[in-house]
Amino acid sequence: MAIPTRILLVSFAALIFFIQCSRAKTVTHDFNVTWVTANPDGLHPRKVVGINGQWPLPVIEVDKGDRLVVNVYNALGDKNTTIHWHGMFQNNTNHMDGPSMVTQCPIVPGASFTYNFTVNQNGTYWYHCHTDACYPDGYRQALIVHDQDAFFNEMYDEEFTLTMSDWYHELVEDITFISVTNPTGAEPVPDSFLVNDTQNSSLAVEPGKTYLLRLVNMGAFVGMYFYIEDHSFQIVEMDGVYTDPTEADLLYISVAQRYSILVTTKNSTAKNYPIVTVVDSSLLDAIQPTLQLNHTNWLEYNTTADHPQALMPASDSSDLTPFDDMTLIPHDRTPLLPDPDIVIEITAIMDNLANGAGYAFFNNISYTRPKVPTLYSVLSSGDLATNPTIYGEYTHPTVLGHNQVVDIVLNNGDTGSHPFHLHGHNFQLLTRFPSYADGFFTYADTDNPVTFNPSNHSSFPAYPPRRDTLVVPPQGYIVIRFIADNPGIWLFHCHIDWHLMQGLAMVLIEAPTQIQQRTTIPEDHWAACSAAGVSGVGNAAGNAEDLLDLSGENRQVAWLPAGFTTRGIVAMVFSCVAAVLGLGVVGVYGMSGNNEECSQVVSRYFQG
Ligand code: C2O
């Protein structure tokens, strides 16, 4: 009796597998990447990165199990590109992950590159450029993975995607940031804020229905609060992970984070209700009085009724307490992973280097790109692939063994909050200090950074929430855990694009031997390297002969001699500026010919 039952079960499983496979399809996009002009806030037309002559960019939609193929041609003429599929695990397809000089070469103007991978995940994701701070120029959009088996499918009538984003009027390359003239590293303040790449828009709804709203913050810098006046909602997904439906009425969504929520509409169509996004102003260094910090879009029940502005007065976010993502329960009830095999302990700080500019550091290392993409170093280094030395000091490599349980303990020595993202995984959220309710956003004002103490901390949840991007409080800490079951090179970094530019990143070399066994790089990926003049073999210094010789590797700028402080740099910058202005004045006076001797001295200065 036992054997026929087993045969029956196996054939049933095979049938299910067959049905799922035959359901899967290939979704292909051709992306011709060019500059176009857009003016989404109506304040300033600017150059943005368009696809096939269009901006906003296409939302990509696939079904779970599909293959996604995107053929990229870089027709920008003057800028490199790549695409990262934020939140996709890329299991066995690490080379499709997208960050340049990590898993591929940059796609230079005139070059092509095909991304091709199977999507075995579900939920709300996004895609964005991942080289040289290219996504704030508009190269980002939502990526939705529908799932016929989602537990909440029967719970809603219709769905909407709602993206939010900060917006700059200048091209990234025209914004002065890492510079001696910006010694404090003040992040550029956005010029405005968008919802669905526009402003003052409406979602048309009917009374007495339930809607699934997919929320994505695809900005480069600023976290947003989100609520709908007079409506609470149920959270059912966080960063691609289904959660037990959980009631909330205010979310904080950092850049790169996503939520799906169920919103049930009222029975009356008398009013329209503001959907409100509020800028986390604690992140902004200087706020111009003209900058509008809260924005209203509408849940539109009635096109002819009033579209009222949000009740919230022109916006101070400091007294908002959002729903705490640390308390969500994953719907699959994956329990807390066992104690870690390896603990990566890092402290994030911002500081100046000897050129006077501001940089960002994990344990005093500011990520500096290697000369060979790290994945290609793995593939060309044989047995030495398990030796972190070959990846260079300034990529900040950590080698992980296959299936190790990994903890990252991140202590934030900085007075700003940071949204940290890990490629290739989501991770369990074990603890965070301080919590949203307990001074998260005000802790910066204390002079009292608190670091994680392994022998004295709040107990870890039995079913920890999981996500791929988590915000660490100012001067506080987070502890996250994951299992190294996805061989690949995975970047761990702050998702504020300015901070990534400043080096707030490190690489995890996960199961290098398994990477070597499983990875074949397609021809067009090598061709992209040739076009870029980047070597596809050797260590981080590009040395393919002696892998342990890192001489010539890219290094971060040297540290300031001891005793220099930020204040000293500010003083130095101002005295230099004053000196240059002074010389300019003297120069103009001197060149006017009134004083021969002076004009000679001045021209000697300028030539010297
Ligand atoms: Cu959206 Cu490196 O990440």
Side-chain angles (χ1 to χ4, degrees):
M1 199 54 202
I3 291 172
T5 312
R6 197 152 85 218
I7 291 175
L8 214 66
L9 279 176
V10 169
S11 3
F12 185 67
L15 184 70
I16 298 282
F17 182 74
F18 177 76
I19 291 171
Q20 275 179 346
C21 286
S22 54
R23 210 155 77 176
K25 59 187 187 301
T26 299
V27 175
T28 306
H29 288 268
D30 294 322
F31 277 10
N32 184 32
V33 184
T34 62
W35 292 111
V36 299
T37 300
N39 186 5
D41 58 7
L43 297 172
H44 187 82
R46 56 155 290 172
K47 249 169 77 170
V48 299
V49 176
I51 289 175
N52 303 330
Q54 302 285 317
W55 192 94
L57 305 186
V59 173
I60 295 181
E61 297 195 58
V62 297
D63 291 305
K64 184 176 182 174
D66 285 353
R67 172 168 293 279
L68 177 61
V69 178
V70 179
N71 301 304
V72 176
Y73 175 68
N74 179 0
L76 290 170
D78 59 356
K79 200 173 167 64
N80 294 344
T81 181
T82 69
I83 306 180
H84 170 52
W85 316 92
H86 183 114
M88 294 281 126
F89 299 150
Q90 301 292 4
N91 189 234
N92 289 322
T93 48
N94 182 218
H95 50 295
M96 301 297 178
D97 193 43
S100 94
M101 299 313 287
V102 180
T103 60
Q104 67 168 90
C105 292
I107 311 168
V108 298
S112 314
F113 194 99
T114 295
Y115 294 95
N116 180 340
F117 55 94
T118 307
V119 180
N120 277 322
Q121 289 165 258
N122 41 244
T124 309
Y125 301 85
W126 62 302
Y127 66 90
H128 62 83
C129 188
H130 209 309
T131 181
D132 310 309
C134 47
Y135 90 78
D137 287 331
Y139 199 168
R140 75 286 178 285
Q141 185 54 287
L143 163 57
I144 307 298
V145 187
H146 298 286
D147 174 12
Q148 302 200 1
D149 304 317
F151 78 90
F152 49 79
N153 279 352
E154 304 304 315
M155 296 163 72
Y156 69 93
D157 299 290
E158 215 189 308
E159 70 172 75
F160 292 107
T161 298
L162 194 143
T163 64
M164 53 201 84
S165 165
D166 42 37
W167 191 247
Y168 293 90
H169 287 163
E170 305 301 323
L171 284 163
V172 171
E173 66 194 42
D174 294 334
I175 296 174
T176 304
F177 176 52
I178 299 181
S179 160
V180 66
T181 60
N182 182 26
T184 61
E187 301 82 3
V189 175
D191 296 299
S192 60
F193 300 91
L194 308 176
V195 166
N196 284 343
D197 282 329
T198 184
Q199 294 180 331
N200 306 312
S201 67
S202 293
L203 303 182
V205 295
E206 290 173 25
K209 288 199 163 172
T210 299
Y211 294 85
L212 179 76
L213 259 56
R214 299 178 180 274
L215 311 174
V216 186
N217 186 339
M218 54 184 201
F221 173 23
V222 178
M224 299 277 200
Y225 296 85
F226 169 95
Y227 64 92
I228 306 175
E229 278 185 15
D230 282 337
H231 291 68
S232 62
F233 43 79
Q234 307 266 323
I235 301 167
V236 291
E237 180 221 326
M238 172 166 79
D239 293 359
V241 179
Y242 296 153
T243 65
D244 280 359
T246 306
E247 178 105 357
D249 51 24
L250 177 65
L251 293 174
Y252 181 84
I253 312 177
S254 77
V255 292
Q257 291 185 329
R258 295 89 63 206
Y259 286 96
S260 286
I261 59 173
L262 295 174
V263 184
T264 300
T265 52
K266 300 187 179 300
N267 288 324
S268 146
T269 58
K271 282 174 69 179
N272 299 315
Y273 291 86
I275 298 171
V276 190
T277 46
V278 182
V279 168
D280 173 6
S281 52
S282 74
L283 292 168
L284 305 180
D285 256 44
I287 302 174
Q288 296 299 321
T290 51
L291 184 65
Q292 193 185 334
L293 295 175
N294 72 32
H295 287 263
T296 305
N297 295 265
W298 290 276
L299 214 49
E300 185 180 65
Y301 286 76
N302 181 341
T303 48
T304 58
D306 211 23
H307 288 70
Q309 284 298 316
L311 291 174
M312 184 176 180
S315 78
D316 175 13
S317 60
S318 60
D319 52 0
L320 298 175
T321 303
F323 175 84
D324 190 346
D325 52 343
M326 303 293 294
T327 65
L328 281 172
I329 296 178
H331 196 66
D332 61 17
R333 286 289 193 295
T334 302
L336 177 66
L337 286 164
D339 284 347
D341 301 302
I342 173 171
V343 177
I344 301 172
E345 200 176 338
I346 39 186
T347 302
I349 58 158
M350 320 288 273
D351 207 343
N352 298 93
L353 292 178
N355 61 359
Y359 290 85
F361 307 82
F362 282 143
N363 297 350
N364 293 337
I365 298 176
S366 177
Y367 177 88
T368 307
R369 70 182 63 161
K371 289 186 171 167
V372 173
T374 305
L375 173 61
Y376 300 166
S377 293
V378 171
L379 298 178
S380 57
S381 57
D383 289 348
L384 279 175
T386 53
N387 184 339
T389 308
I390 68 163
Y391 305 109
E393 187 177 346
Y394 299 97
T395 64
H396 202 162
T398 299
V399 175
L400 302 176
H402 197 204
N403 291 322
Q404 277 186 328
V405 175
V406 186
D407 274 10
I408 298 181
V409 173
L410 195 152
N411 293 307
N412 185 5
D414 182 47
T415 52
S417 64
H418 298 273
F420 281 104
H421 170 50
L422 175 60
H423 287 223
H425 291 274
N426 52 40
F427 42 74
Q428 296 188 328
L429 318 185
L430 303 194
T431 185
R432 170 164 67 191
F433 179 87
S435 67
Y436 280 151
D438 229 358
F440 182 107
F441 294 98
T442 49
Y443 209 66
D445 307 334
T446 71
D447 237 346
N448 187 22
V450 171
T451 56
F452 175 68
N453 176 352
S455 50
N456 179 19
H457 58 81
S458 63
S459 65
F460 298 153
Y463 304 106
R466 299 195 303 281
R467 66 184 319 166
D468 63 44
T469 306
L470 179 64
V471 188
V472 64
Q475 301 189 123
Y477 60 78
I478 50 174
V479 180
I480 61 178
R481 182 171 292 176
F482 65 96
I483 183 154
D485 56 1
N486 189 17
I489 309 303
W490 309 117
L491 209 52
F492 178 71
H493 66 92
C494 177
H495 216 292
I496 293 176
D497 219 29
W498 306 111
H499 297 168
L500 178 56
M501 278 171 93
Q502 289 176 297
L504 201 47
M506 64 188 293
V507 290
L508 304 184
I509 321 287
E510 179 173 330
T513 310
Q514 285 72 14
I515 298 174
Q516 290 175 340
Q517 289 157 1
R518 297 178 186 189
T519 312
T520 314
I521 304 296
E523 252 335 293
D524 65 313
H525 291 207
W526 296 128
C529 293
S530 315
V534 172
S535 165
V537 290
N539 64 18
N543 190 334
E545 301 300 314
D546 181 356
L547 290 160
L548 295 173
D549 177 4
L550 272 295
S551 50
E553 71 173 318
N554 292 335
R555 310 171 72 88
Q556 70 189 44
V557 173
W559 285 94
L560 281 165
F564 263 83
T565 60
T566 305
R567 197 185 285 172
I569 291 171
V570 174
M572 185 181 75
V573 168
F574 279 99
S575 45
C576 289
V577 169
V580 168
L581 282 178
L583 280 176
V585 169
V586 174
V588 168
Y589 174 73
M591 303 296 184
S592 68
N594 290 339
N595 183 332
E596 261 311 290
E597 204 177 314
C598 182
S599 86
Q600 274 166 15
V601 172
V602 168
S603 38
R604 237 179 290 135
Y605 253 105
F606 282 122
Q607 278 153 20

